[in-house]
Amino acid sequence: MAWIRIFRTRKEALWAQKILEKGGFKTTISEDKLFGIPIQRFGVPARFRLLIERADLEKAAEFLAKKIKKK
């Protein structure tokens, strides 16, 4: 798995995940933790990583670029 982007909130990560899944990409979201504890408990801002299969990374980048061009 390779991460595409780090988000500050789970809501933002879920929104991006939904867009990629509509394009046919399988993704996962992971939350940064220290010893299994969310990092925000240690005064560090939360981070949620959007992960995708490494083999799909280039295709996903092209898919997202086309989405951006349409707007």
Side-chain angles (χ1 to χ4, degrees):
M1 298 292 277
W3 58 273
I4 294 179
R5 182 176 170 179
I6 298 174
F7 295 89
R8 292 184 184 189
T9 67
R10 182 176 300 277
K11 184 177 179 179
E12 290 174 339
L14 287 168
W15 177 77
Q17 182 181 45
K18 189 175 182 179
I19 291 170
L20 285 170
E21 287 182 349
K22 283 183 181 178
F25 300 99
K26 186 174 181 180
T27 62
T28 304
I29 295 172
S30 72
E31 179 179 3
D32 285 1
K33 296 182 178 185
L34 178 65
F35 303 114
I37 302 168
I39 60 174
Q40 54 271 35
R41 289 179 122 188
F42 301 101
V44 179
R47 293 189 301 233
F48 298 89
R49 296 173 189 263
L50 181 59
L51 304 160
I52 191 166
E53 293 292 332
R54 193 170 295 277
D56 290 336
L57 195 56
E58 281 187 46
K59 290 179 202 171
E62 290 173 12
F63 171 77
L64 292 172
K66 287 177 185 174
K67 285 278 213 191
I68 291 169
K69 281 185 180 181
K70 286 181 182 179
K71 290 189 174 205

